[in-house]
């Protein structure tokens, strides 16, 4: 059994160098701080919301970051519980926070909660999360790990800025919990937590007063999150935890645990929660998640989510969700005042986020789908893959047929079960209710022509009325 790590901390195990920051005189530490430090810059963007603790520590958080980063990089972590098999837009701000810190030369850790997901975090929830089976959590954790690694790779490849970046590491906390024995863990760790303090957390108080109450498993969640912080502090020199603003209570538990055991100071940074237009937190629990996995939300759908953002949100979102410098964002917004109908800020926002999440190919796909659906572009339709077609027209039946000589418009509609049999279906065509590849057809007896009714990629996009689409793939042309 792997016993809990309860020992003094040895500096430099992550960076490979002795961390002198805590040994520097205060005046010298201040001399290392710039007027516009990393934290101040992200505060100005609105990305970093709160810092904990703000005062009263041996070294202040800004001093920790604003020294010579190349010589003394810090390590920061953020946790992501695998309650689903994909990240969603609600996770993006925490990831952007990690990326900004990485770009400044610090080492960051994305921690997948393969163990803690089985308990369920009560923070920000009005009732207990539905329990997940062990194998389901493991599968979700594997998927989240792949998703985090893909996002980190896109960031590294497509958003480089010429600076020397820190590392991005993905870990799973099941690695240190799976061999723990309950009684041994409680004996080693439980005595360092006071019930009064744990009960005073706002997230706990809200749940205790709710009709459903709070389970012991949920109550214990903050202890495990505190231990995660302690473990990463010991093993990787991690002194900062990043999380959503609803995580402040859990971050405080980690600070108190580490400070009590080691006498050292650690810190928390929160990012704002993204909400829908109705004020609901975006996520799986609220039923309004915009997923980052292509199988659940296509690049086109993600792109359109940001294109549809209202004018009163888009400037804030450009600051939160992109790496664009603030002067460039100001310029984009100035142009928007002159030509608001072009929706320039929304399109730039959508492009930057889609490229980060799905890469350049995903962004190209989103733009092709946009042209095909909203601008009736035949050129875009002709180069779309089957996957893109199925993503774009999710509800549309997809059929594959062999093209018989003399196949007519009427034959095609009936093969696809797109019109009723008999005179009524015939009239739907003659009365202008049918189009193929965005071109209206009114002669039911017209023979299909390759290059017009059938595109170069073997596609016919059949539309009946205003909203009913049918995708036909012709084989062996």
């Amino acid at each position: 059994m792997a016993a809990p790590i309860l020992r003094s901390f040895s500096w430099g195990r992550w960076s490979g160098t002795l961390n002198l920051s805590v040994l520097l005189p205060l005046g010298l530490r201040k001399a290392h701080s710039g007027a516009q430090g990393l934290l101040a810059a992200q505060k100005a963007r609105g990305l970093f919301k709160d810092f904990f603790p703000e005062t009263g520590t041996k070294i202040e958080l800004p001093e920790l970051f604003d020294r010579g980063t190349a010589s003394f990089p810090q390590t920061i972590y953020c946790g992501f519980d695998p309650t689903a098999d994909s990240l969603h837009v609600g996770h993006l701000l925490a990831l952007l926070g990690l990326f900004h810190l990485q770009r400044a030369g610090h080492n960051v850790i994305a921690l997948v909660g393969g163990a803690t997901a089985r308990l369920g975090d009560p923070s920000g929830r009005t009732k207990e999360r539905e329990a997940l089976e062990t194998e389901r959590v493991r599968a979700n954790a594997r998927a989240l790990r792949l998703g985090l690694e893909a996002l980190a790779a896109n960031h590294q490849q497509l958003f480089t800025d010429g600076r020397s970046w820190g590392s991005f590491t993905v870990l799973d906390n099941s690695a240190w919990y799976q061999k723990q024995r309950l009684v041994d863990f409680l004996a080693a760790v439980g005595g360092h937590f006071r019930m009064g303090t744990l009960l005073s957390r706002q997230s706990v108080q809200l749940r205790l007063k709710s009709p459903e109450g709070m389970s012991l498993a949920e109550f214990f969640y903050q202890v495990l999150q505190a231990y995660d912080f302690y473990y990463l502090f010991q093993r990787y020199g991690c002194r900062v935890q990043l999380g959503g603003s609803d995580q402040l209570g859990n971050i405080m538990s980690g600070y108190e645990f580490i400070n009590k055991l080691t006498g050292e100071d650690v810190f928390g940074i929160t990012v704002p929660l993204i909400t829908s237009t109705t004020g609901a937190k975006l996520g799986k629990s609220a039923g309004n998640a915009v997923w980052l996995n292509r199988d659940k939300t296509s690049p086109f759908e993600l792109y359109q989510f940001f294109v549809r953002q209202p004018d009163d949100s888009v400037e804030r979102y450009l600051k939160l969700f992109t790496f664009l410098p603030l002067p460039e964002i100001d310029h984009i917004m100035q142009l928007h005042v002159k030509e608001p109908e072009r929706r320039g800020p929304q399109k730039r926002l959508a492009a930057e986020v889609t490229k980060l999440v799905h890469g350049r190919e995903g962004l190209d796909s989103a733009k092709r789908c946009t042209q095909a659906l909203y601008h009736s572009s035949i050129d875009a339709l002709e180069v779309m893959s089957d996957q893109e077609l199925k993503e774009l027209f999710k509800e549309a039946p997809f059929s594959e047929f062999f093209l018989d000589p003399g196949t007519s418009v009427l034959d095609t509609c009936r093969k696809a079960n797109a019109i009723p049999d008999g005179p009524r279906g015939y009239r739907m065509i003659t009365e202008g209710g049918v189009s193929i590849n965005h071109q209206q057809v009114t002669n039911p007896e017209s023979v299909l022509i390759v290059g017009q009714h059938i595109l170069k990629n073997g596609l016919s996009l059949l539309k009946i009325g205003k909203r009913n689409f049918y995708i036909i793939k012709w084989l062996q042309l």
Side-chain angles (χ1 to χ4, degrees):
M1 183 206 67
I5 303 170
L6 295 172
R7 58 177 182 271
S8 62
F9 176 65
S10 174
W11 292 105
R13 297 184 63 177
W14 180 236
S15 63
T17 59
L18 180 66
N19 193 327
L20 300 176
S21 65
V22 294
L23 306 178
L24 290 173
L26 181 60
L28 185 56
R29 293 204 302 261
K30 286 185 176 178
H32 282 272
S33 293
Q36 173 70 350
L38 170 63
L39 300 185
Q42 297 312 317
K43 186 85 170 176
R45 296 184 78 97
L47 182 59
F48 290 169
K49 188 173 184 287
D50 297 306
F51 305 117
F52 175 84
E54 292 190 32
T55 58
T57 53
K58 288 179 292 186
I59 180 171
E60 301 295 335
L61 185 59
E63 298 169 29
L64 198 67
F65 280 110
D66 295 342
R67 293 173 290 105
T69 301
S71 301
F72 305 110
Q74 297 303 314
T75 301
I76 305 94
Y77 99 93
C78 182
F80 303 89
D81 274 349
T83 54
D85 59 0
S86 171
L87 300 165
H88 52 73
V89 165
H91 293 119
L92 264 182
L93 286 195
L95 276 168
L96 264 293
L98 289 182
F99 288 150
H100 276 289
L101 292 162
Q102 181 192 12
R103 295 163 75 84
H106 301 288
N107 300 315
V108 299
I109 297 172
L111 180 64
V112 176
T116 44
R118 296 181 62 191
L119 301 185
D121 184 1
S123 302
R125 295 181 58 84
T126 58
K127 61 181 180 179
E128 188 170 4
R129 189 185 301 276
E130 182 180 349
L132 298 175
E133 296 180 359
T134 303
E135 190 49 48
R136 173 79 177 278
V137 173
R138 287 175 182 162
N140 288 349
R142 288 192 294 268
L144 247 61
R145 185 173 192 129
L146 291 174
L148 288 163
E149 290 169 349
L151 279 158
N154 287 341
H155 174 229
Q156 186 79 36
Q157 294 166 11
L158 302 175
F159 294 89
T160 182
D161 59 4
R163 294 184 295 172
S164 178
W165 291 3
S167 61
F168 187 101
T169 304
V170 183
L171 301 175
D172 187 329
N173 65 9
S174 63
W176 51 86
Y177 285 119
Q178 60 187 353
K179 295 180 181 179
Q180 295 284 8
R181 293 177 181 169
L182 176 61
V183 174
D184 293 337
F185 182 82
L186 287 175
V189 174
H192 298 282
F193 291 88
R194 303 268 66 86
M195 286 297 298
T197 304
L198 296 178
L199 286 166
S200 70
R201 304 293 185 219
Q202 184 180 22
S203 59
V204 174
Q205 284 293 309
L206 290 173
R207 288 298 304 279
L208 289 176
K209 294 174 182 176
S210 69
E212 186 174 308
M214 188 179 198
S215 71
L216 176 61
E218 289 183 293
F219 180 72
F220 201 65
Y221 185 95
Q222 62 178 308
V223 173
L224 293 192
Q225 185 166 328
Y227 184 77
D228 285 341
F229 198 177
Y230 173 78
Y231 182 94
L232 295 174
F233 175 80
Q234 292 287 87
R235 288 295 177 94
Y236 298 98
C238 178
R239 300 191 70 181
V240 182
Q241 181 180 170
L242 185 75
S245 57
D246 59 349
Q247 291 297 305
L248 188 56
N250 293 337
I251 293 172
M252 290 168 65
S253 293
Y255 167 83
E256 291 162 357
F257 181 49
I258 294 169
N259 187 259
K260 183 179 293 186
L261 284 176
T262 69
E264 296 291 344
D265 289 316
V266 293
F267 303 89
I269 300 174
T270 67
V271 296
L273 298 178
I274 295 299
T275 59
S276 67
T277 53
T278 62
K281 175 183 172 182
L282 287 183
K284 181 176 76 74
S285 302
N288 57 6
V290 179
W291 302 100
L292 306 188
N293 184 320
R294 183 170 188 159
D295 294 335
K296 299 169 82 74
T297 299
S298 71
F300 166 75
E301 291 171 310
L302 179 69
Y303 183 88
Q304 289 300 321
F305 171 78
F306 285 99
V307 164
R308 291 194 299 268
Q309 292 304 314
D311 285 352
D312 58 4
S313 298
V314 69
E315 182 176 4
R316 176 173 177 256
Y317 278 16
L318 279 168
K319 294 175 181 178
L320 291 176
F321 287 105
T322 78
F323 302 110
L324 298 176
L326 294 183
E328 185 174 351
I329 293 174
D330 288 340
H331 179 66
I332 291 170
M333 295 309 299
Q334 289 168 13
L335 294 177
H336 182 56
V337 172
K338 298 175 183 177
E339 298 180 293
E341 71 282 356
R342 296 176 66 89
R343 297 185 69 77
Q346 284 89 346
K347 291 176 182 176
R348 186 63 185 276
L349 169 66
E352 293 292 315
V353 175
T354 305
K355 184 168 67 170
L356 175 63
V357 175
H358 293 295
R360 202 176 300 280
E361 188 281 328
L363 175 57
D364 290 342
S365 173
K367 288 183 175 180
R368 279 194 297 272
C369 291
T370 298
Q371 289 295 315
L373 184 62
Y374 295 124
H375 302 283
S376 301
S377 171
I378 299 299
D379 292 338
L381 277 176
E382 284 191 318
V383 295
M384 289 175 67
S385 66
D386 290 355
Q387 180 186 21
E388 288 173 337
L389 288 166
K390 291 175 182 178
E391 289 173 347
L392 181 58
F393 303 101
K394 267 190 173 178
E395 307 303 320
F398 188 94
S399 305
E400 294 182 331
F401 300 131
F402 289 100
L403 182 65
D404 297 322
T407 298
S408 67
V409 170
L410 182 62
D411 296 333
T412 303
C413 291
R414 286 179 173 166
K415 272 188 175 185
N417 293 318
I419 60 173
D421 291 332
R424 182 166 164 239
Y426 195 92
R427 285 197 307 273
M428 287 175 69
I429 302 174
T430 60
E431 292 173 359
V434 175
S435 67
I436 298 178
N437 300 332
H438 297 309
Q439 300 296 316
Q440 190 179 65
V441 290
T442 56
N443 183 358
E445 309 301 334
S446 295
V447 175
L448 298 189
I449 301 172
V450 176
Q452 179 182 342
H453 303 107
I454 302 173
L455 301 179
K456 295 175 184 177
N457 56 359
L459 165 74
S460 291
L461 179 64
L462 182 62
K463 184 169 78 167
I464 311 296
K466 293 183 177 180
R467 294 186 178 85
N468 297 315
F469 288 94
Y470 298 80
I471 303 170
I472 299 170
K473 186 77 173 180
W474 299 100
L475 305 175
Q476 297 181 357
L477 291 177

